[in-house]
Amino acid sequence: MRGICNIVVLTGAGLSAESGIPTFRTVGGVNYWDTGDGTAYTIEEVCTPEALERDERLVQAFYDGRRAALDHVVPNAAHRALARLAAEWNGGLTIVTQNVDDLLERAGLPVDRVWHMHGTLRSALCRACGGRIAWEGALVDGPPCPVCGAAALRPDIVFFGEMPHHMDAIEAALADADLFVSIGTSGAVYPAAGFVQTARHYGARTLELNLDPSAGSIFFDETRLGPAGLLVPDWVDAMLAVGALR
């Protein structure tokens, strides 16, 4: 591709699925988190503010399990390719992820180069003081907040019905993008599903790299289908071979 300087990349669950992180699924019209061990939870059970209020121990235990599982997965070729793009691309690059894992950072991307719009598992949010704290252990037994001492920590995850992070900055990046690339997303969860239309509105080219066509494939100039571990390194190689053209 030529004439491209500023790139915005959106990544979804498909980026990390090849590392063994279970994905969000819809079965028979019901939305589930498949934990990969034969257990499944609906959104309403574990991913809403109401669920946290109704059964905090269940919600905390669910996210404790997801956090602990990060110790058993590693970045795949797609994560590493995006880290290489960030290191070598001579134009602008913004990476926005819907994923709450830390595999992009562990692949080599600096923390400040990855915008986790749905939060991150390795962070806790204090409901008492509003502090965000790097967190590795369990929350189910109500450990005190290191900032204020209150036993009010929750997963620093954007639940359904809550406002995603970085929305103003993402809008500004999309307005300035020459190319918008969506990797491994379903195209069904808003507001991220609408980013392609925003990017098109501002004049960006749009590219989808996905295992299957997403719900928003019709909005992309080009869709390439296949595993992220193959598609993303090939795309990065092509971009770096040309370089940013202002």
Side-chain angles (χ1 to χ4, degrees):
M1 295 180 181
R2 294 188 175 274
I4 293 170
C5 181
N6 295 324
I7 303 173
V8 175
V9 175
L10 171 69
T11 73
L15 182 74
S16 295
E18 292 172 48
S19 291
I21 294 182
T23 60
F24 174 71
R25 302 173 185 274
T26 300
V27 180
V30 180
N31 297 314
Y32 286 96
W33 282 110
D34 182 350
T35 61
D37 63 0
T39 306
Y41 297 95
T42 66
I43 286 175
E44 291 76 16
E45 288 177 303
V46 295
C47 201
T48 65
E50 293 78 16
L52 185 66
E53 182 176 348
R54 181 176 60 249
D55 193 342
E56 178 170 347
R57 190 167 185 84
L58 172 65
V59 174
Q60 297 280 28
F62 172 73
Y63 286 100
D64 284 352
R66 295 190 70 193
R67 189 180 308 109
L70 293 180
D71 293 336
H72 305 288
V73 297
V74 296
N76 61 52
H79 297 106
R80 294 192 297 271
L82 290 176
R84 185 161 66 91
L85 182 67
E88 300 179 20
W89 180 248
N90 60 337
L93 177 65
T94 298
I95 296 184
V96 181
T97 186
Q98 297 172 276
N99 298 341
V100 295
D101 61 66
D102 61 349
L103 294 182
L104 283 167
E105 290 90 341
R106 285 161 59 189
L109 271 158
V111 173
D112 60 359
R113 295 296 300 273
V114 185
W115 296 353
H116 284 269
M117 62 179 296
H118 290 163
T120 175
L121 287 167
R122 294 203 190 272
S123 176
L125 172 65
C126 181
R127 287 165 285 176
C129 70
R132 286 191 160 86
I133 305 101
W135 197 265
E136 298 287 340
L139 292 172
V140 69
D141 291 326
C145 170
V147 177
C148 71
L153 296 177
R154 55 159 275 187
D156 191 8
I157 301 296
V158 176
F159 291 151
F160 282 83
E162 296 179 330
M163 180 62 68
H165 304 318
H166 311 295
M167 289 305 298
D168 289 344
I170 293 169
E171 173 82 19
L174 291 170
D176 199 37
D178 303 305
L179 174 65
F180 171 75
V181 184
S182 177
I183 302 171
T185 66
S186 67
V189 178
Y190 284 84
F195 290 172
V196 59
Q197 296 178 68
T198 301
R200 285 172 62 94
H201 171 76
Y202 287 115
R205 304 181 200 181
T206 55
L207 170 65
E208 177 180 46
L209 307 176
N210 217 7
L211 190 60
D212 300 297
S214 71
S217 287
I218 189 173
F219 299 114
F220 287 88
D221 297 320
E222 181 184 359
T223 294
R224 302 177 191 173
L225 300 180
L230 295 177
L231 294 182
V232 178
D234 285 349
W235 170 70
V236 169
D237 287 343
M239 296 304 301
L240 292 178
V242 175
L245 296 180
R246 293 168 172 81

